[in-house]
Amino acid sequence: MRTQKTQEKAGFGSKIGFILAAAGSAVGLGNIWRFPYLAAKYGGGIFLLVYLILAVTFGFALMLTEITIGRRTGKSVMGAYTAMDKRFRPLGWLAGAIPVIIMPYYCVIGGWVLKYLVVFLTGSGKAAADNSSFFSNFIGHSWSPLLFFAIFLLITGSVVMLGVQKGVEKVSKILMPLLLVLIVGIAIYTMTLPGAIQGLEYYIKPDLSAFSIKTVVAAMGQLFYSMSLAMGIMITYGSYMRKEDHIENSVRQIEVFDTVVAFLAGMIIVPAVFVFSGGDSSALNAGPSLMFITLPNVFSDMLGGQIVGTVFFLLVSLAALTSSISLMETVVSMLEERFHLKRIPACCTATGCAFLIGLLSVFGYSIWSDFTIFG
Ligand code: PFF
């Protein structure tokens, strides 16, 4: 009975479609922005080593478990936990709440990336980099971040509305190979910059003195973030997976894709920032401003920086888009299952709610910046 139900549910049409969609979820802002600066901060090669060990052990086991739960139950994250055991119901609620909370802020940052893509595409990258308050002016602007957030969210909603096969799978099959080509291209270019090799050495040479329990904790946190674990995404995608496809092989390929992209992003960002800052590694610890202030400066000083900047922000936009699609698909699958909504009303509801929640993030930097809760 359960098998019959699962087969009725729309799902991925091919194994490669599933792998690329799941890899699309895993590869996102976490790989391109978060991984490189954590690696630089926590001892370069030693962080990479710890991350790799955790990825092939914990990461592999957790992703395998989530996809298996999804495929076996054929349900959304909320239904899947309950289907396994009624006592797990609260876990389903908890895991299901995470994409609802993350999706709006993820799309706000996606909007920022889109803005920078437009800036570089229209040839204003250098002017933006030369103006030290460009980023703060942008996020503090009354309507500009709202507009880019709305565009990013609408693109996400439109893809999800097309369905699992015609939307999520099709888009992933086009964007993921493109993303790989773009990142390999910029990584090769960065390696040709003078001084890049010292930066690369800093990135991959293990600094044992920087190793501590914090390295392991940071690598573990990054693992969950990067592999989209513990938030129902992999359960949802697993529920759309074909019964005849091999789960272990697929997880292996998703992991390799995710880790290779993170490693290549580090190969671009660490040496580039290293060269730009004259070997000052603290420039890599800039947090969110690394991507929106430091990197545009690096590009504007580079030969062909306008093109490299455009390609880079295109790459980040695509990576963020395939991840936000997976976050929305997880929410939509819950709405379809729990409230028996059809796909279009479910997508409209998810998009509308994300828009309202996202307003907190958008205006939190501008008109609502004085608003605080309990101080
Ligand atoms: N795994 C993706 C990334 O690394 O950006 C997307 C993502 C999903 C990030 C959920 C964070 C998150 F909490």
Side-chain angles (χ1 to χ4, degrees), residues 25-26 28-31 102 106 225-226 228 231 233 323 327:
S25 169
L29 295 169
N31 301 60
I102 290 180
Y106 205 81
Y225 195 101
S226 187
S228 302
M231 51 194 82
I233 296 177
S323 296
L327 286 162

Side-chain angles (χ1 to χ4, degrees), residues 170-283:
K170 211 170 185 177
V171 166
S172 307
K173 274 178 158 170
I174 300 168
L175 298 191
M176 295 314 287
L178 177 64
L179 189 142
L180 207 56
V181 171
L182 295 182
I183 199 161
V184 170
I186 323 183
I188 293 173
Y189 179 78
T190 316
M191 283 302 112
T192 64
L193 296 176
I197 298 301
Q198 281 110 289
L200 182 67
E201 206 175 289
Y202 175 78
Y203 175 47
I204 47 184
K205 202 168 136 197
D207 173 8
L208 290 178
S209 66
F211 179 81
S212 71
I213 190 70
K214 279 191 186 157
T215 313
V216 182
V217 174
M220 191 66 124
Q222 175 62 14
L223 190 73
F224 274 82
Y225 195 101
S226 187
M227 290 179 67
S228 302
L229 294 172
M231 51 194 82
I233 296 177
M234 291 301 160
I235 293 185
T236 308
Y237 276 15
S239 76
Y240 299 139
M241 193 184 182
R242 298 189 314 181
K243 292 281 179 200
E244 63 267 38
D245 293 336
H246 200 280
I247 302 186
E248 271 181 59
N249 276 345
S250 307
V251 172
R252 213 165 284 134
Q253 291 174 45
I254 298 163
E255 265 207 314
V256 170
F257 206 124
D258 187 50
T259 311
V260 165
V261 172
F263 181 75
L264 288 176
M267 248 176 92
I268 295 169
I269 292 172
V270 179
V273 173
F274 206 76
V275 171
F276 168 77
S277 62
D280 173 15
S281 56
S282 64

